[in-house]
Every structure is written in structure tokens, then in C-alpha cells.
Amino acid sequence: MPWLLLSCAGLAVGPVLAFAGMGTWRLFVVVGLAPLLEEIVFRAGVQAELTPLMRSGHAANLVTSTLFGLAHGLVAGPAHGMAVLLPSLLLGECWRRRPRLGPCVALHGAMNAAWLLGLDAMWAGGLAPLTPSFATG
């Protein structure tokens, strides 16, 4: 039952992002709330459940990261789904080595912050963003 509740909480991230807009709220959602909810669902939920079933932390990480990429691809498009695959594998390795949410959430938030800074730099240079309009503010 807790797994179902956590999954529902994770599904709430999409609509929250749709209303995030810009400024401090956007930063809070992208760097704080989304990493927390996603790591609860994908690491403490999916990856933690798959690891004993698959008898391999690496295989569980690969499956979890694929699902993470698919979820992001459904919300933000295929390019975004592919772009999050490698970072998700890194987050999964962090979880595999020491299954604690804190380090995973902190690393995820740091990666999202770097992503925001990188997108701002790309937009300043005139490149088109790889993100949906609701996340651009």
C-alpha cells in the first residue's frame, strides 16, 4: 500500500510542473520537489523492489532508469526522455551503492540545477530548448 501512495505522489509532479511558471517557485519544484518525489518513486520504490527480484542491482538500475526515461519522455518528449537516461543511471548507481534517499535527492537536485543553468545559457545563445514550454517559465 505505501508503494501505491508513493506512486500517486510521483504522478503529481507533472501537473505541479505545469503550474510552476517561473522564478522561485520554478526553482523549488525543479530542484527540490521533483527530485524528492521522483527518487521516492523510482529509487525507494521501483529500484528497491526490483533489486531482490532481479538478483542484480545493475539490472534493476537499468530497468528503473529506462522507466524513468520513458516517464520523462511521455511528459516532455522523446529527446528529454533520452537526455535523462544517463543521469538516471548515475542516480541508480548512487542508490545501489548505498540505498538512502538523501544523497540521491541531493544529487538529483544538483543535476536539475545544472540543467536549468545550461538551458538558460543555451537560450541566451539562441538555441531552441529541449523542454516543454511549461517548464521554461
Side-chain angles (χ1 to χ4, degrees):
M1 185 59 90
W3 166 233
L4 179 62
L5 293 174
L6 293 176
S7 296
C8 291
L11 293 175
V13 172
V16 169
L17 280 174
F19 293 106
M22 48 203 279
T24 305
W25 177 244
R26 175 179 173 221
L27 186 64
F28 168 73
V29 169
V30 174
V31 177
L33 184 60
L36 175 63
L37 293 176
E38 289 175 355
E39 292 308 311
I40 288 171
V41 170
F42 287 97
R43 302 304 156 216
V46 176
Q47 191 167 342
E49 292 291 326
L50 285 178
T51 299
L53 294 174
M54 300 185 92
R55 297 188 182 128
S56 168
H58 294 293
N61 182 15
L62 182 60
V63 170
T64 302
S65 293
T66 300
L67 293 172
F68 187 80
L70 288 171
H72 279 75
L74 289 172
V75 172
H80 188 79
M82 293 296 292
V84 301
L85 187 57
L86 180 59
S88 180
L89 287 167
L90 294 172
L91 289 164
E93 181 63 15
C94 178
W95 176 267
R96 189 189 69 77
R97 290 178 182 221
R98 191 168 184 192
R100 292 179 50 225
L101 275 176
C104 293
V105 172
L107 180 59
H108 192 149
M111 285 194 267
N112 282 5
W115 171 75
L116 284 175
L117 293 172
L119 286 179
D120 286 343
M122 282 185 359
W123 296 333
L127 297 175
L130 293 174
T131 187
S133 60
F134 66 74
T136 62

